[in-house]
Amino acid sequence: MSEIDIFLSYSREDRAAARHIAESFTAEGLNVWWDAALQSGQTFDEVIEQRLKEAKAVVVLWSPRSVTSRWVRAEATLADRRNKLVPAIIEACDRPIAFELTHTADLSDWTGDTSDARWRAFVEDVQGMVQKAGVAEEAAPVVAKPQRMSTPPRPAASISPAARERLRPGNDDVIFASTSRRGAPEPPPAIPHTPEPASVEAEGDEFHCLCVVEEGAEQCFIVSSTGLKIGRSAPADAVIPHPSVSRQHCIVGIANDELLVSDLNSTNGTYIDGQRISGAAVLPVGSILRVGQVSLSHEIRNRAEALKWDSANSRGLHQVRLAAAP
Protein backbone atom coordinates (compact mmCIF):
# COMPACT_ATOMS: atom_id res chain seq x y z
CA MET A 1 0.00 0.00 0.00
CA SER A 2 1.08 3.54 -0.67
CA GLU A 3 2.46 5.47 2.31
CA ILE A 4 1.63 8.82 0.70
CA ASP A 5 -1.75 10.21 1.71
CA ILE A 6 -1.61 13.55 -0.11
CA PHE A 7 0.19 14.85 -3.18
CA LEU A 8 0.19 18.66 -3.02
CA SER A 9 0.02 20.49 -6.37
CA TYR A 10 0.60 24.25 -6.45
CA SER A 11 2.31 27.09 -8.26
CA ARG A 12 5.80 27.81 -6.96
CA GLU A 13 4.79 31.45 -6.49
CA ASP A 14 2.40 30.16 -3.78
CA ARG A 15 5.12 28.18 -2.00
CA ALA A 16 4.61 29.90 1.39
CA ALA A 17 0.88 29.10 1.40
CA ALA A 18 1.58 25.54 0.23
CA ARG A 19 4.08 25.01 3.04
CA HIS A 20 1.56 26.15 5.67
CA ILE A 21 -1.13 23.85 4.25
CA ALA A 22 1.30 20.92 4.07
CA GLU A 23 2.30 21.46 7.69
CA SER A 24 -1.36 21.76 8.73
CA PHE A 25 -2.19 18.44 7.04
CA THR A 26 0.80 16.82 8.76
CA ALA A 27 -0.54 18.05 12.09
CA GLU A 28 -3.79 16.23 11.25
CA GLY A 29 -1.83 12.98 10.98
CA LEU A 30 -1.74 12.88 7.17
CA ASN A 31 1.40 12.05 5.21
CA VAL A 32 1.97 14.85 2.68
CA TRP A 33 4.31 14.80 -0.31
CA TRP A 34 5.22 18.01 -2.12
CA ASP A 35 8.28 19.01 -4.10
CA ALA A 36 10.11 20.23 -1.00
CA ALA A 37 10.70 16.52 -0.36
CA LEU A 38 12.77 16.13 -3.53
CA GLN A 39 16.36 15.14 -2.88
CA SER A 40 19.41 16.48 -4.67
CA GLY A 41 20.24 14.46 -7.77
CA GLN A 42 16.75 13.06 -8.30
CA THR A 43 15.15 13.40 -11.73
CA PHE A 44 12.29 15.78 -10.91
CA ASP A 45 9.70 14.78 -13.51
CA GLU A 46 10.14 11.03 -12.85
CA VAL A 47 9.76 11.42 -9.08
CA ILE A 48 6.76 13.73 -9.37
CA GLU A 49 4.92 11.39 -11.75
CA GLN A 50 5.57 8.43 -9.45
CA ARG A 51 4.40 10.26 -6.31
CA LEU A 52 1.28 11.48 -8.14
CA LYS A 53 0.38 7.86 -8.92
CA GLU A 54 1.13 6.64 -5.38
CA ALA A 55 -0.83 9.32 -3.51
CA LYS A 56 -4.31 8.46 -2.23
CA ALA A 57 -5.51 12.07 -2.72
CA VAL A 58 -4.24 14.96 -4.82
CA VAL A 59 -4.83 18.41 -3.34
CA VAL A 60 -4.62 21.15 -5.97
CA LEU A 61 -4.31 24.73 -4.73
CA TRP A 62 -5.98 27.09 -7.21
CA SER A 63 -4.78 30.68 -7.40
CA PRO A 64 -4.32 33.25 -10.19
CA ARG A 65 -0.82 31.80 -10.64
CA SER A 66 -1.66 28.08 -10.61
CA VAL A 67 -4.58 28.34 -13.07
CA THR A 68 -2.13 29.54 -15.72
CA SER A 69 0.45 26.83 -14.96
CA ARG A 70 0.30 23.98 -17.47
CA TRP A 71 2.13 21.83 -14.92
CA VAL A 72 -0.55 22.30 -12.23
CA ARG A 73 -3.37 21.88 -14.77
CA ALA A 74 -1.83 18.63 -16.01
CA GLU A 75 -1.51 17.28 -12.46
CA ALA A 76 -5.14 18.22 -11.77
CA THR A 77 -6.28 16.53 -14.99
CA LEU A 78 -4.46 13.29 -14.20
CA ALA A 79 -5.75 13.31 -10.60
CA ASP A 80 -9.31 13.88 -11.79
CA ARG A 81 -9.09 10.92 -14.17
CA ARG A 82 -7.90 8.75 -11.31
CA ASN A 83 -10.79 9.99 -9.13
CA LYS A 84 -8.56 11.38 -6.38
CA LEU A 85 -8.75 15.14 -6.94
CA VAL A 86 -9.57 17.32 -3.90
CA PRO A 87 -9.09 20.98 -4.95
CA ALA A 88 -9.15 24.19 -2.93
CA ILE A 89 -9.15 27.87 -3.87
CA ILE A 90 -6.50 29.72 -1.86
CA GLU A 91 -6.98 33.04 -3.67
CA ALA A 92 -9.91 34.33 -5.70
CA CYS A 93 -9.54 33.20 -9.32
CA ASP A 94 -11.39 31.70 -12.28
CA ARG A 95 -10.72 27.97 -12.29
CA PRO A 96 -9.99 26.19 -15.59
CA ILE A 97 -13.32 25.46 -17.24
CA ALA A 98 -12.77 21.70 -17.02
CA PHE A 99 -12.87 21.96 -13.19
CA GLU A 100 -15.72 24.42 -12.75
CA LEU A 101 -18.15 21.60 -11.91
CA THR A 102 -15.80 19.93 -9.42
CA HIS A 103 -16.62 20.59 -5.77
CA THR A 104 -13.89 22.92 -4.52
CA ALA A 105 -13.21 24.16 -0.99
CA ASP A 106 -12.97 27.95 -0.68
CA LEU A 107 -10.01 28.87 1.51
CA SER A 108 -9.41 32.22 -0.18
CA ASP A 109 -9.76 34.15 3.07
CA TRP A 110 -8.66 31.39 5.44
CA THR A 111 -6.28 32.86 8.02
CA GLY A 112 -4.57 29.59 8.92
CA ASP A 113 -6.73 28.79 11.95
CA THR A 114 -7.05 24.99 11.95
CA SER A 115 -10.23 25.22 14.05
CA ASP A 116 -11.95 27.21 11.28
CA ALA A 117 -15.07 25.38 10.05
CA ARG A 118 -13.97 25.69 6.41
CA TRP A 119 -10.63 24.06 7.14
CA ARG A 120 -12.27 21.29 9.18
CA ALA A 121 -14.66 20.55 6.31
CA PHE A 122 -11.78 20.46 3.83
CA VAL A 123 -9.76 18.12 6.04
CA GLU A 124 -12.78 15.80 6.30
CA ASP A 125 -13.09 15.73 2.50
CA VAL A 126 -9.41 14.84 2.15
CA GLN A 127 -9.53 12.22 4.89
CA GLY A 128 -12.57 10.65 3.22
CA MET A 129 -10.69 10.41 -0.08
CA VAL A 130 -7.63 8.91 1.65
CA GLN A 131 -9.73 6.33 3.50
CA LYS A 132 -11.61 5.40 0.33
CA ALA A 133 -8.34 4.88 -1.56
CA GLY A 134 -6.91 2.84 1.31
CA VAL A 135 -9.90 0.47 1.30
CA ALA A 136 -9.64 0.10 -2.48
CA GLU A 137 -5.92 -0.76 -2.23
CA GLU A 138 -6.58 -3.42 0.40
CA ALA A 139 -9.37 -5.00 -1.66
CA ALA A 140 -7.59 -4.89 -5.00
CA PRO A 141 -5.92 -8.14 -6.16
CA VAL A 142 -2.19 -7.94 -6.75
CA VAL A 143 -2.29 -7.99 -10.55
CA ALA A 144 -0.99 -5.58 -13.13
CA LYS A 145 -3.67 -3.30 -14.51
CA PRO A 146 -4.00 -3.86 -18.27
CA GLN A 147 -3.00 -0.91 -20.39
CA ARG A 148 -4.44 0.14 -23.74
CA MET A 149 -0.93 0.21 -25.17
CA SER A 150 1.92 -2.12 -24.31
CA THR A 151 5.20 -0.48 -25.17
CA PRO A 152 8.42 -2.38 -24.40
CA PRO A 153 10.33 -0.71 -21.53
CA ARG A 154 13.22 1.47 -22.54
CA PRO A 155 16.24 2.42 -20.45
CA ALA A 156 15.98 5.88 -18.95
CA ALA A 157 18.23 8.46 -20.52
CA SER A 158 20.63 10.25 -18.20
CA ILE A 159 19.85 13.89 -17.54
CA SER A 160 22.59 16.37 -16.84
CA PRO A 161 22.54 18.62 -13.73
CA ALA A 162 21.85 21.60 -16.01
CA ALA A 163 18.82 19.84 -17.48
CA ARG A 164 17.53 18.97 -14.02
CA GLU A 165 17.72 22.64 -13.06
CA ARG A 166 15.84 23.63 -16.20
CA LEU A 167 13.16 21.02 -15.46
CA ARG A 168 12.62 21.98 -11.84
CA PRO A 169 9.03 21.84 -10.50
CA GLY A 170 6.99 24.82 -11.63
CA ASN A 171 8.75 25.02 -14.99
CA ASP A 172 6.24 24.47 -17.79
CA ASP A 173 8.82 22.44 -19.74
CA VAL A 174 8.59 19.63 -17.17
CA ILE A 175 5.34 18.24 -18.58
CA PHE A 176 7.02 17.34 -21.87
CA ALA A 177 10.25 16.04 -20.37
CA SER A 178 9.06 12.46 -20.79
CA THR A 179 10.34 12.49 -24.36
CA SER A 180 13.85 12.97 -22.95
CA ARG A 181 13.39 10.13 -20.46
CA ARG A 182 12.47 7.70 -23.18
CA GLY A 183 15.44 8.72 -25.22
CA ALA A 184 13.36 10.31 -28.00
CA PRO A 185 15.56 11.93 -30.66
CA GLU A 186 15.96 15.65 -30.87
CA PRO A 187 14.10 17.36 -33.76
CA PRO A 188 16.00 16.58 -36.97
CA PRO A 189 17.71 19.33 -38.96
CA ALA A 190 15.52 21.07 -41.52
CA ILE A 191 16.82 19.08 -44.50
CA PRO A 192 14.12 17.77 -46.88
CA HIS A 193 13.81 14.02 -46.71
CA THR A 194 11.14 11.35 -46.67
CA PRO A 195 10.17 10.54 -43.06
CA GLU A 196 10.30 6.88 -42.16
CA PRO A 197 6.92 5.55 -41.05
CA ALA A 198 6.55 4.37 -37.47
CA SER A 199 6.07 0.61 -37.36
CA VAL A 200 3.32 -0.73 -35.17
CA GLU A 201 4.29 -4.40 -35.41
CA ALA A 202 5.79 -4.43 -31.92
CA GLU A 203 3.11 -2.31 -30.27
CA GLY A 204 -0.01 -3.40 -28.36
CA ASP A 205 -3.56 -4.08 -29.52
CA GLU A 206 -4.78 -0.48 -29.43
CA PHE A 207 -3.10 2.71 -30.60
CA HIS A 208 -3.36 6.45 -30.16
CA CYS A 209 -4.27 8.02 -33.50
CA LEU A 210 -4.93 11.54 -34.76
CA CYS A 211 -7.66 11.44 -37.40
CA VAL A 212 -8.51 14.31 -39.74
CA VAL A 213 -11.92 15.82 -39.02
CA GLU A 214 -13.25 16.63 -42.47
CA GLU A 215 -16.12 15.16 -44.43
CA GLY A 216 -14.83 12.52 -46.80
CA ALA A 217 -11.27 12.68 -45.43
CA GLU A 218 -10.36 9.25 -44.01
CA GLN A 219 -6.82 9.89 -42.81
CA CYS A 220 -5.21 9.01 -39.51
CA PHE A 221 -1.73 9.33 -38.08
CA ILE A 222 -0.41 6.81 -35.55
CA VAL A 223 1.37 8.34 -32.54
CA SER A 224 4.17 5.90 -31.77
CA SER A 225 6.32 5.74 -28.63
CA THR A 226 8.87 8.04 -30.29
CA GLY A 227 6.31 10.79 -30.87
CA LEU A 228 4.87 12.49 -33.96
CA LYS A 229 5.91 15.83 -35.45
CA ILE A 230 3.20 17.65 -37.42
CA GLY A 231 4.04 20.20 -40.11
CA ARG A 232 3.31 21.49 -43.59
CA SER A 233 6.24 19.71 -45.22
CA ALA A 234 9.10 17.29 -44.62
CA PRO A 235 10.86 16.52 -42.33
CA ALA A 236 7.55 16.39 -40.40
CA ASP A 237 6.26 12.87 -39.66
CA ALA A 238 2.66 13.91 -40.37
CA VAL A 239 2.58 16.24 -43.39
CA ILE A 240 -0.49 18.49 -43.64
CA PRO A 241 0.01 20.65 -46.77
CA HIS A 242 -2.40 23.39 -45.77
CA PRO A 243 -1.38 27.08 -45.89
CA SER A 244 -2.50 27.63 -42.27
CA VAL A 245 -0.06 24.96 -41.01
CA SER A 246 3.53 25.94 -40.22
CA ARG A 247 6.44 23.96 -41.66
CA GLN A 248 7.15 22.71 -38.12
CA HIS A 249 3.87 23.23 -36.30
CA CYS A 250 3.72 21.01 -33.21
CA ILE A 251 4.96 17.73 -31.74
CA VAL A 252 2.89 15.03 -30.03
CA GLY A 253 4.39 12.61 -27.51
CA ILE A 254 3.21 9.82 -25.20
CA ALA A 255 3.69 9.76 -21.42
CA ASN A 256 1.89 7.29 -19.15
CA ASP A 257 -0.51 6.40 -21.99
CA GLU A 258 -1.48 10.08 -22.35
CA LEU A 259 -0.86 12.28 -25.38
CA LEU A 260 1.04 15.51 -24.75
CA VAL A 261 1.07 18.24 -27.39
CA SER A 262 3.76 20.92 -27.58
CA ASP A 263 3.50 23.89 -29.93
CA LEU A 264 6.63 24.68 -31.95
CA ASN A 265 6.11 28.45 -32.17
CA SER A 266 3.65 28.00 -35.03
CA THR A 267 2.30 31.04 -36.85
CA ASN A 268 -1.42 30.25 -36.60
CA GLY A 269 -1.36 28.39 -33.31
CA THR A 270 -2.12 24.96 -31.86
CA TYR A 271 -5.47 24.46 -30.11
CA ILE A 272 -6.99 21.77 -27.88
CA ASP A 273 -10.79 21.85 -27.82
CA GLY A 274 -10.73 25.45 -28.99
CA GLN A 275 -8.18 26.69 -26.42
CA ARG A 276 -4.83 27.84 -27.75
CA ILE A 277 -1.77 26.37 -26.06
CA SER A 278 1.53 28.19 -25.77
CA GLY A 279 3.64 25.25 -24.70
CA ALA A 280 2.80 21.66 -23.77
CA ALA A 281 -0.62 20.32 -22.75
CA VAL A 282 -2.49 17.03 -22.34
CA LEU A 283 -4.70 15.93 -25.28
CA PRO A 284 -7.47 13.68 -23.87
CA VAL A 285 -9.04 10.89 -25.92
CA GLY A 286 -11.93 12.34 -27.92
CA SER A 287 -10.57 15.87 -27.82
CA ILE A 288 -9.94 17.91 -30.96
CA LEU A 289 -6.43 19.05 -31.84
CA ARG A 290 -6.46 21.98 -34.26
CA VAL A 291 -3.31 22.95 -36.13
CA GLY A 292 -3.91 26.17 -38.01
CA GLN A 293 -7.29 25.56 -39.64
CA VAL A 294 -7.04 21.75 -39.75
CA SER A 295 -8.72 19.69 -37.00
CA LEU A 296 -7.72 16.20 -35.87
CA SER A 297 -9.56 13.98 -33.40
CA HIS A 298 -7.66 11.96 -30.79
CA GLU A 299 -8.98 8.41 -31.20
CA ILE A 300 -8.03 4.92 -30.10
CA ARG A 301 -7.85 2.52 -33.07
CA ASN A 302 -7.44 -1.26 -33.02
CA ARG A 303 -4.53 -3.19 -34.55
CA ALA A 304 -6.22 -3.84 -37.92
CA GLU A 305 -7.00 -0.16 -38.43
CA ALA A 306 -3.57 0.94 -37.22
CA LEU A 307 -1.80 -1.49 -39.54
CA LYS A 308 -3.84 -0.14 -42.45
CA TRP A 309 -2.57 3.37 -41.82
CA ASP A 310 0.95 2.10 -41.11
CA SER A 311 0.91 0.36 -44.50
CA ALA A 312 -0.39 3.49 -46.21
CA ASN A 313 2.41 5.50 -44.63
CA SER A 314 5.02 3.03 -45.84
CA ARG A 315 3.75 3.54 -49.41
CA GLY A 316 4.25 7.29 -49.10
CA LEU A 317 0.56 8.07 -48.56
CA HIS A 318 1.17 9.86 -45.27
CA GLN A 319 0.15 13.32 -46.47
CA VAL A 320 -3.30 14.71 -45.69
CA ARG A 321 -5.12 15.79 -48.82
CA LEU A 322 -7.16 18.88 -48.01
CA ALA A 323 -8.66 21.64 -50.05
CA ALA A 324 -6.99 24.99 -49.53
CA ALA A 325 -8.86 27.41 -47.27
CA PRO A 326 -11.04 29.87 -49.20
Side-chain angles (χ1 to χ4, degrees), residues 287-305:
S287 290
I288 300 297
L289 171 67
R290 179 156 61 86
V291 291
Q293 297 176 13
V294 179
S295 297
L296 303 101
S297 173
H298 177 194
E299 302 178 11
I300 300 296
R301 294 293 183 96
N302 61 35
R303 170 172 287 275
E305 293 172 315

Side-chain angles (χ1 to χ4, degrees), residues 2 4-7 48-60 75-87 102 125-126 129-130 132-133 137:
S2 170
I4 300 175
D5 294 323
I6 300 171
F7 177 100
I48 289 174
E49 285 183 11
Q50 184 61 32
R51 297 299 177 265
L52 184 62
K53 291 178 183 178
E54 294 173 354
K56 299 182 179 70
V58 176
V59 172
V60 174
E75 290 174 342
T77 297
L78 295 176
D80 188 44
R81 288 179 187 162
R82 291 177 170 84
N83 297 314
K84 53 184 178 182
L85 173 63
V86 191
T102 303
D125 288 343
V126 174
M129 180 68 73
V130 169
K132 178 180 177 181
E137 285 185 1

